[in-house]
Amino acid sequence: MDDRFTLYDLKVEVVATEKPMVCSHKEGDFFLVEGENLVFPQTHSFSMYALSALLPLLPAKQRPLQENDWMLSDSLIACPDPNCGARFKITRTRKRILKHKDCTIVPVKGPKGDGAAKEPSEDGTIKGGR
């Protein structure tokens, strides 16, 4: 069975506005999202508060979206500090093909082939799984 799916890699970059930045951000600072990994190729720090505002959006920005979905068009995210003028620009950089089996032990289809995934038990194992 073909268990491949597509995600976009992302670049999240600090963008300046006319309002001064009061946090530790510097224009041009960035991090990458490659598959499920955050990659910080620069030696600079990145605010955990800004990161906490960005994290919920990243999985949605990675996925293929419908043409009219606002998540596709809106790419500037404000710093969560209301006094800071920084914005964070999220850009798709490339498509990445991943395999379901490399990301989880939960099978794509249930035991009857009905499309229902098997639920893990309390200890995280799957009865009758791989």
Side-chain angles (χ1 to χ4, degrees):
M1 179 174 81
D2 184 7
D3 70 342
R4 294 179 296 171
F5 64 100
T6 301
L7 291 180
Y8 288 90
D9 286 351
L10 306 173
K11 180 178 183 180
V12 181
E13 184 174 8
V14 178
V15 178
T17 65
E18 67 284 345
K19 190 175 175 181
M21 288 188 262
V22 296
C23 298
S24 63
H25 321 299
K26 292 180 184 61
E27 185 174 16
D29 283 354
F30 69 94
F31 67 89
L32 305 172
V33 181
E34 296 177 350
E36 65 182 26
N37 298 307
L38 298 180
V39 179
F40 297 88
Q42 299 177 319
T43 57
H44 304 289
S45 62
F46 202 92
S47 164
M48 72 174 177
Y49 302 110
L51 193 56
S52 70
L54 292 163
L55 283 176
L57 303 173
L58 299 179
K61 295 295 271 185
Q62 283 188 291
R63 282 158 170 74
L65 299 166
Q66 293 182 355
E67 182 179 319
N68 296 320
D69 191 330
W70 69 270
M71 186 61 74
L72 188 60
S73 61
D74 295 17
S75 63
L76 284 178
I77 311 304
C79 177
D81 182 334
N83 298 307
C84 184
R87 298 291 181 266
F88 304 96
K89 182 178 180 182
I90 303 173
T91 305
R92 290 176 166 182
T93 58
R94 74 177 191 108
K95 283 185 180 181
R96 179 179 297 268
I97 305 298
L98 299 163
K99 291 185 175 187
H100 182 272
K101 68 181 176 185
D102 294 337
C103 299
T104 181
I105 62 168
V106 178
V108 174
K109 296 192 181 249
K112 297 179 183 173
D114 60 3
K118 297 176 190 173
E119 292 294 325
S121 64
E122 289 181 14
D123 67 353
T125 60
I126 297 177
K127 305 271 189 250
R130 293 182 204 151

PDB file of all heavy atoms in Angstrom, residues 40-68:
ATOM      1  N   PHE A  40      17.216  25.387  13.615  1.00  0.00           N
ATOM      2  CA  PHE A  40      17.712  26.729  13.887  1.00  0.00           C
ATOM      3  C   PHE A  40      19.140  26.835  13.339  1.00  0.00           C
ATOM      4  O   PHE A  40      20.103  26.640  14.080  1.00  0.00           O
ATOM      5  CB  PHE A  40      17.670  27.022  15.391  1.00  0.00           C
ATOM      6  CG  PHE A  40      16.284  26.999  15.950  1.00  0.00           C
ATOM      7  CD1 PHE A  40      15.719  25.821  16.407  1.00  0.00           C
ATOM      8  CD2 PHE A  40      15.536  28.162  15.997  1.00  0.00           C
ATOM      9  CE1 PHE A  40      14.428  25.800  16.917  1.00  0.00           C
ATOM     10  CE2 PHE A  40      14.240  28.153  16.504  1.00  0.00           C
ATOM     11  CZ  PHE A  40      13.687  26.974  16.960  1.00  0.00           C
ATOM     12  N   PRO A  41      19.293  27.151  12.044  1.00  0.00           N
ATOM     13  CA  PRO A  41      20.626  27.150  11.444  1.00  0.00           C
ATOM     14  C   PRO A  41      21.491  28.327  11.879  1.00  0.00           C
ATOM     15  O   PRO A  41      22.698  28.294  11.711  1.00  0.00           O
ATOM     16  CB  PRO A  41      20.347  27.203   9.948  1.00  0.00           C
ATOM     17  CG  PRO A  41      18.997  27.786   9.815  1.00  0.00           C
ATOM     18  CD  PRO A  41      18.252  27.431  11.072  1.00  0.00           C
ATOM     19  N   GLN A  42      20.895  29.346  12.425  1.00  0.00           N
ATOM     20  CA  GLN A  42      21.664  30.491  12.899  1.00  0.00           C
ATOM     21  C   GLN A  42      22.078  30.263  14.340  1.00  0.00           C
ATOM     22  O   GLN A  42      21.514  29.430  15.037  1.00  0.00           O
ATOM     23  CB  GLN A  42      20.820  31.763  12.804  1.00  0.00           C
ATOM     24  CG  GLN A  42      20.380  32.101  11.401  1.00  0.00           C
ATOM     25  CD  GLN A  42      19.492  33.336  11.398  1.00  0.00           C
ATOM     26  OE1 GLN A  42      18.656  33.499  12.258  1.00  0.00           O
ATOM     27  NE2 GLN A  42      19.692  34.181  10.411  1.00  0.00           N
ATOM     28  N   THR A  43      23.031  31.030  14.791  1.00  0.00           N
ATOM     29  CA  THR A  43      23.457  30.905  16.188  1.00  0.00           C
ATOM     30  C   THR A  43      22.661  31.834  17.094  1.00  0.00           C
ATOM     31  O   THR A  43      22.874  31.873  18.292  1.00  0.00           O
ATOM     32  CB  THR A  43      24.960  31.231  16.320  1.00  0.00           C
ATOM     33  OG1 THR A  43      25.186  32.536  15.809  1.00  0.00           O
ATOM     34  CG2 THR A  43      25.798  30.219  15.577  1.00  0.00           C
ATOM     35  N   HIS A  44      21.717  32.577  16.537  1.00  0.00           N
ATOM     36  CA  HIS A  44      20.908  33.510  17.321  1.00  0.00           C
ATOM     37  C   HIS A  44      19.877  32.764  18.160  1.00  0.00           C
ATOM     38  O   HIS A  44      19.509  31.642  17.882  1.00  0.00           O
ATOM     39  CB  HIS A  44      20.172  34.483  16.390  1.00  0.00           C
ATOM     40  CG  HIS A  44      21.082  35.238  15.486  1.00  0.00           C
ATOM     41  ND1 HIS A  44      21.925  36.227  15.913  1.00  0.00           N
ATOM     42  CD2 HIS A  44      21.287  35.134  14.159  1.00  0.00           C
ATOM     43  CE1 HIS A  44      22.602  36.706  14.905  1.00  0.00           C
ATOM     44  NE2 HIS A  44      22.240  36.051  13.814  1.00  0.00           N
ATOM     45  N   SER A  45      19.387  33.423  19.148  1.00  0.00           N
ATOM     46  CA  SER A  45      18.300  32.865  19.950  1.00  0.00           C
ATOM     47  C   SER A  45      16.974  33.182  19.271  1.00  0.00           C
ATOM     48  O   SER A  45      16.903  33.981  18.342  1.00  0.00           O
ATOM     49  CB  SER A  45      18.349  33.468  21.358  1.00  0.00           C
ATOM     50  OG  SER A  45      18.170  34.872  21.290  1.00  0.00           O
ATOM     51  N   PHE A  46      15.914  32.528  19.756  1.00  0.00           N
ATOM     52  CA  PHE A  46      14.575  32.800  19.243  1.00  0.00           C
ATOM     53  C   PHE A  46      13.632  32.792  20.429  1.00  0.00           C
ATOM     54  O   PHE A  46      13.627  31.855  21.226  1.00  0.00           O
ATOM     55  CB  PHE A  46      14.155  31.757  18.201  1.00  0.00           C
ATOM     56  CG  PHE A  46      13.081  32.247  17.276  1.00  0.00           C
ATOM     57  CD1 PHE A  46      13.417  32.857  16.082  1.00  0.00           C
ATOM     58  CD2 PHE A  46      11.746  32.124  17.620  1.00  0.00           C
ATOM     59  CE1 PHE A  46      12.427  33.331  15.229  1.00  0.00           C
ATOM     60  CE2 PHE A  46      10.753  32.596  16.780  1.00  0.00           C
ATOM     61  CZ  PHE A  46      11.099  33.199  15.580  1.00  0.00           C
ATOM     62  N   SER A  47      12.845  33.824  20.568  1.00  0.00           N
ATOM     63  CA  SER A  47      11.957  34.002  21.720  1.00  0.00           C
ATOM     64  C   SER A  47      10.981  32.838  21.874  1.00  0.00           C
ATOM     65  O   SER A  47      10.282  32.478  20.926  1.00  0.00           O
ATOM     66  CB  SER A  47      11.168  35.305  21.549  1.00  0.00           C
ATOM     67  OG  SER A  47      10.068  35.342  22.424  1.00  0.00           O
ATOM     68  N   MET A  48      10.915  32.272  23.074  1.00  0.00           N
ATOM     69  CA  MET A  48       9.958  31.186  23.309  1.00  0.00           C
ATOM     70  C   MET A  48       8.519  31.700  23.256  1.00  0.00           C
ATOM     71  O   MET A  48       7.608  30.959  22.925  1.00  0.00           O
ATOM     72  CB  MET A  48      10.241  30.472  24.625  1.00  0.00           C
ATOM     73  CG  MET A  48       9.924  31.219  25.864  1.00  0.00           C
ATOM     74  SD  MET A  48      10.175  30.122  27.273  1.00  0.00           S
ATOM     75  CE  MET A  48       9.820  31.261  28.579  1.00  0.00           C
ATOM     76  N   TYR A  49       8.297  32.973  23.549  1.00  0.00           N
ATOM     77  CA  TYR A  49       6.947  33.526  23.490  1.00  0.00           C
ATOM     78  C   TYR A  49       6.493  33.662  22.042  1.00  0.00           C
ATOM     79  O   TYR A  49       5.350  33.340  21.706  1.00  0.00           O
ATOM     80  CB  TYR A  49       6.888  34.872  24.220  1.00  0.00           C
ATOM     81  CG  TYR A  49       7.312  34.731  25.658  1.00  0.00           C
ATOM     82  CD1 TYR A  49       8.505  35.274  26.105  1.00  0.00           C
ATOM     83  CD2 TYR A  49       6.534  34.013  26.558  1.00  0.00           C
ATOM     84  CE1 TYR A  49       8.913  35.125  27.419  1.00  0.00           C
ATOM     85  CE2 TYR A  49       6.940  33.851  27.877  1.00  0.00           C
ATOM     86  CZ  TYR A  49       8.120  34.409  28.302  1.00  0.00           C
ATOM     87  OH  TYR A  49       8.516  34.243  29.603  1.00  0.00           O
ATOM     88  N   ALA A  50       7.386  34.119  21.181  1.00  0.00           N
ATOM     89  CA  ALA A  50       7.060  34.186  19.753  1.00  0.00           C
ATOM     90  C   ALA A  50       6.848  32.783  19.208  1.00  0.00           C
ATOM     91  O   ALA A  50       5.904  32.531  18.457  1.00  0.00           O
ATOM     92  CB  ALA A  50       8.173  34.900  18.990  1.00  0.00           C
ATOM     93  N   LEU A  51       7.708  31.862  19.603  1.00  0.00           N
ATOM     94  CA  LEU A  51       7.586  30.481  19.143  1.00  0.00           C
ATOM     95  C   LEU A  51       6.256  29.870  19.580  1.00  0.00           C
ATOM     96  O   LEU A  51       5.602  29.169  18.808  1.00  0.00           O
ATOM     97  CB  LEU A  51       8.758  29.659  19.678  1.00  0.00           C
ATOM     98  CG  LEU A  51       8.977  28.294  19.059  1.00  0.00           C
ATOM     99  CD1 LEU A  51       9.140  28.368  17.550  1.00  0.00           C
ATOM    100  CD2 LEU A  51      10.195  27.637  19.686  1.00  0.00           C
ATOM    101  N   SER A  52       5.811  30.184  20.793  1.00  0.00           N
ATOM    102  CA  SER A  52       4.535  29.646  21.277  1.00  0.00           C
ATOM    103  C   SER A  52       3.356  30.171  20.466  1.00  0.00           C
ATOM    104  O   SER A  52       2.343  29.496  20.327  1.00  0.00           O
ATOM    105  CB  SER A  52       4.346  29.939  22.764  1.00  0.00           C
ATOM    106  OG  SER A  52       4.121  31.316  22.986  1.00  0.00           O
ATOM    107  N   ALA A  53       3.473  31.376  19.918  1.00  0.00           N
ATOM    108  CA  ALA A  53       2.409  31.919  19.063  1.00  0.00           C
ATOM    109  C   ALA A  53       2.439  31.297  17.669  1.00  0.00           C
ATOM    110  O   ALA A  53       1.398  31.153  17.023  1.00  0.00           O
ATOM    111  CB  ALA A  53       2.552  33.437  18.956  1.00  0.00           C
ATOM    112  N   LEU A  54       3.608  30.902  17.209  1.00  0.00           N
ATOM    113  CA  LEU A  54       3.768  30.356  15.865  1.00  0.00           C
ATOM    114  C   LEU A  54       3.479  28.863  15.770  1.00  0.00           C
ATOM    115  O   LEU A  54       2.941  28.392  14.761  1.00  0.00           O
ATOM    116  CB  LEU A  54       5.199  30.619  15.372  1.00  0.00           C
ATOM    117  CG  LEU A  54       5.543  32.074  15.102  1.00  0.00           C
ATOM    118  CD1 LEU A  54       7.050  32.267  15.040  1.00  0.00           C
ATOM    119  CD2 LEU A  54       4.871  32.544  13.819  1.00  0.00           C
ATOM    120  N   LEU A  55       3.833  28.109  16.792  1.00  0.00           N
ATOM    121  CA  LEU A  55       3.734  26.651  16.727  1.00  0.00           C
ATOM    122  C   LEU A  55       2.362  26.113  16.303  1.00  0.00           C
ATOM    123  O   LEU A  55       2.304  25.202  15.484  1.00  0.00           O
ATOM    124  CB  LEU A  55       4.156  26.022  18.058  1.00  0.00           C
ATOM    125  CG  LEU A  55       5.655  25.977  18.308  1.00  0.00           C
ATOM    126  CD1 LEU A  55       5.953  25.430  19.707  1.00  0.00           C
ATOM    127  CD2 LEU A  55       6.375  25.150  17.265  1.00  0.00           C
ATOM    128  N   PRO A  56       1.249  26.632  16.814  1.00  0.00           N
ATOM    129  CA  PRO A  56      -0.046  26.069  16.395  1.00  0.00           C
ATOM    130  C   PRO A  56      -0.344  26.242  14.901  1.00  0.00           C
ATOM    131  O   PRO A  56      -1.126  25.477  14.336  1.00  0.00           O
ATOM    132  CB  PRO A  56      -1.074  26.847  17.230  1.00  0.00           C
ATOM    133  CG  PRO A  56      -0.306  27.408  18.366  1.00  0.00           C
ATOM    134  CD  PRO A  56       1.083  27.641  17.855  1.00  0.00           C
ATOM    135  N   LEU A  57       0.273  27.213  14.263  1.00  0.00           N
ATOM    136  CA  LEU A  57       0.000  27.489  12.850  1.00  0.00           C
ATOM    137  C   LEU A  57       0.840  26.637  11.899  1.00  0.00           C
ATOM    138  O   LEU A  57       0.442  26.402  10.759  1.00  0.00           O
ATOM    139  CB  LEU A  57       0.258  28.968  12.549  1.00  0.00           C
ATOM    140  CG  LEU A  57      -0.540  29.954  13.396  1.00  0.00           C
ATOM    141  CD1 LEU A  57      -0.067  31.369  13.133  1.00  0.00           C
ATOM    142  CD2 LEU A  57      -2.027  29.807  13.128  1.00  0.00           C
ATOM    143  N   LEU A  58       1.991  26.197  12.345  1.00  0.00           N
ATOM    144  CA  LEU A  58       2.943  25.550  11.443  1.00  0.00           C
ATOM    145  C   LEU A  58       2.434  24.255  10.807  1.00  0.00           C
ATOM    146  O   LEU A  58       2.590  24.081   9.590  1.00  0.00           O
ATOM    147  CB  LEU A  58       4.277  25.342  12.149  1.00  0.00           C
ATOM    148  CG  LEU A  58       4.961  26.634  12.621  1.00  0.00           C
ATOM    149  CD1 LEU A  58       6.262  26.319  13.333  1.00  0.00           C
ATOM    150  CD2 LEU A  58       5.161  27.610  11.484  1.00  0.00           C
ATOM    151  N   PRO A  59       1.803  23.327  11.556  1.00  0.00           N
ATOM    152  CA  PRO A  59       1.300  22.116  10.895  1.00  0.00           C
ATOM    153  C   PRO A  59       0.262  22.411   9.808  1.00  0.00           C
ATOM    154  O   PRO A  59       0.246  21.752   8.770  1.00  0.00           O
ATOM    155  CB  PRO A  59       0.680  21.305  12.042  1.00  0.00           C
ATOM    156  CG  PRO A  59       1.406  21.775  13.256  1.00  0.00           C
ATOM    157  CD  PRO A  59       1.651  23.244  13.014  1.00  0.00           C
ATOM    158  N   ALA A  60      -0.573  23.410  10.021  1.00  0.00           N
ATOM    159  CA  ALA A  60      -1.557  23.774   8.994  1.00  0.00           C
ATOM    160  C   ALA A  60      -0.880  24.386   7.778  1.00  0.00           C
ATOM    161  O   ALA A  60      -1.251  24.094   6.631  1.00  0.00           O
ATOM    162  CB  ALA A  60      -2.594  24.740   9.570  1.00  0.00           C
ATOM    163  N   LYS A  61       0.121  25.232   7.992  1.00  0.00           N
ATOM    164  CA  LYS A  61       0.836  25.853   6.871  1.00  0.00           C
ATOM    165  C   LYS A  61       1.619  24.817   6.068  1.00  0.00           C
ATOM    166  O   LYS A  61       1.904  25.025   4.901  1.00  0.00           O
ATOM    167  CB  LYS A  61       1.793  26.938   7.375  1.00  0.00           C
ATOM    168  CG  LYS A  61       1.120  28.126   8.017  1.00  0.00           C
ATOM    169  CD  LYS A  61       0.282  28.903   7.058  1.00  0.00           C
ATOM    170  CE  LYS A  61       1.059  29.981   6.369  1.00  0.00           C
ATOM    171  NZ  LYS A  61       0.221  30.833   5.517  1.00  0.00           N
ATOM    172  N   GLN A  62       1.968  23.685   6.678  1.00  0.00           N
ATOM    173  CA  GLN A  62       2.717  22.640   5.990  1.00  0.00           C
ATOM    174  C   GLN A  62       1.860  21.825   5.034  1.00  0.00           C
ATOM    175  O   GLN A  62       2.385  21.214   4.125  1.00  0.00           O
ATOM    176  CB  GLN A  62       3.306  21.648   7.003  1.00  0.00           C
ATOM    177  CG  GLN A  62       4.513  22.140   7.732  1.00  0.00           C
ATOM    178  CD  GLN A  62       5.103  21.015   8.548  1.00  0.00           C
ATOM    179  OE1 GLN A  62       4.517  20.566   9.520  1.00  0.00           O
ATOM    180  NE2 GLN A  62       6.265  20.556   8.131  1.00  0.00           N
ATOM    181  N   ARG A  63       0.566  21.808   5.241  1.00  0.00           N
ATOM    182  CA  ARG A  63      -0.290  20.906   4.481  1.00  0.00           C
ATOM    183  C   ARG A  63      -0.852  21.553   3.219  1.00  0.00           C
ATOM    184  O   ARG A  63      -1.029  22.769   3.176  1.00  0.00           O
ATOM    185  CB  ARG A  63      -1.430  20.415   5.374  1.00  0.00           C
ATOM    186  CG  ARG A  63      -0.906  19.335   6.288  1.00  0.00           C
ATOM    187  CD  ARG A  63      -1.704  19.102   7.528  1.00  0.00           C
ATOM    188  NE  ARG A  63      -1.250  17.888   8.196  1.00  0.00           N
ATOM    189  CZ  ARG A  63      -0.115  17.792   8.881  1.00  0.00           C
ATOM    190  NH1 ARG A  63       0.696  18.813   8.980  1.00  0.00           N
ATOM    191  NH2 ARG A  63       0.226  16.663   9.460  1.00  0.00           N
ATOM    192  N   PRO A  64      -1.134  20.726   2.207  1.00  0.00           N
ATOM    193  CA  PRO A  64      -1.804  21.266   1.019  1.00  0.00           C
ATOM    194  C   PRO A  64      -3.152  21.861   1.433  1.00  0.00           C
ATOM    195  O   PRO A  64      -3.869  21.287   2.254  1.00  0.00           O
ATOM    196  CB  PRO A  64      -2.003  20.035   0.126  1.00  0.00           C
ATOM    197  CG  PRO A  64      -0.976  19.053   0.593  1.00  0.00           C
ATOM    198  CD  PRO A  64      -0.827  19.306   2.072  1.00  0.00           C
ATOM    199  N   LEU A  65      -3.484  23.024   0.884  1.00  0.00           N
ATOM    200  CA  LEU A  65      -4.704  23.728   1.261  1.00  0.00           C
ATOM    201  C   LEU A  65      -5.515  24.064   0.025  1.00  0.00           C
ATOM    202  O   LEU A  65      -4.985  24.130  -1.085  1.00  0.00           O
ATOM    203  CB  LEU A  65      -4.345  25.031   2.003  1.00  0.00           C
ATOM    204  CG  LEU A  65      -3.563  24.870   3.295  1.00  0.00           C
ATOM    205  CD1 LEU A  65      -2.986  26.206   3.755  1.00  0.00           C
ATOM    206  CD2 LEU A  65      -4.441  24.272   4.377  1.00  0.00           C
ATOM    207  N   GLN A  66      -6.780  24.300   0.230  1.00  0.00           N
ATOM    208  CA  GLN A  66      -7.629  24.743  -0.870  1.00  0.00           C
ATOM    209  C   GLN A  66      -7.267  26.169  -1.252  1.00  0.00           C
ATOM    210  O   GLN A  66      -6.824  26.967  -0.410  1.00  0.00           O
ATOM    211  CB  GLN A  66      -9.099  24.652  -0.476  1.00  0.00           C
ATOM    212  CG  GLN A  66      -9.569  23.228  -0.286  1.00  0.00           C
ATOM    213  CD  GLN A  66     -11.042  23.167   0.067  1.00  0.00           C
ATOM    214  OE1 GLN A  66     -11.704  24.179   0.265  1.00  0.00           O
ATOM    215  NE2 GLN A  66     -11.559  21.960   0.136  1.00  0.00           N
ATOM    216  N   GLU A  67      -7.468  26.492  -2.504  1.00  0.00           N
ATOM    217  CA  GLU A  67      -7.072  27.776  -3.068  1.00  0.00           C
ATOM    218  C   GLU A  67      -7.605  28.980  -2.301  1.00  0.00           C
ATOM    219  O   GLU A  67      -6.925  29.989  -2.157  1.00  0.00           O
ATOM    220  CB  GLU A  67      -7.556  27.826  -4.521  1.00  0.00           C
ATOM    221  CG  GLU A  67      -7.199  29.064  -5.271  1.00  0.00           C
ATOM    222  CD  GLU A  67      -7.704  29.013  -6.698  1.00  0.00           C
ATOM    223  OE1 GLU A  67      -7.610  27.955  -7.327  1.00  0.00           O
ATOM    224  OE2 GLU A  67      -8.224  30.043  -7.169  1.00  0.00           O
ATOM    225  N   ASN A  68      -8.814  28.914  -1.778  1.00  0.00           N
ATOM    226  CA  ASN A  68      -9.435  30.056  -1.108  1.00  0.00           C
ATOM    227  C   ASN A  68      -9.287  30.032   0.408  1.00  0.00           C
ATOM    228  O   ASN A  68      -9.845  30.888   1.095  1.00  0.00           O
ATOM    229  CB  ASN A  68     -10.916  30.131  -1.467  1.00  0.00           C
ATOM    230  CG  ASN A  68     -11.104  30.390  -2.944  1.00  0.00           C
ATOM    231  OD1 ASN A  68     -10.375  31.174  -3.547  1.00  0.00           O
ATOM    232  ND2 ASN A  68     -12.067  29.721  -3.547  1.00  0.00           N
TER     233      ASN A  68
END
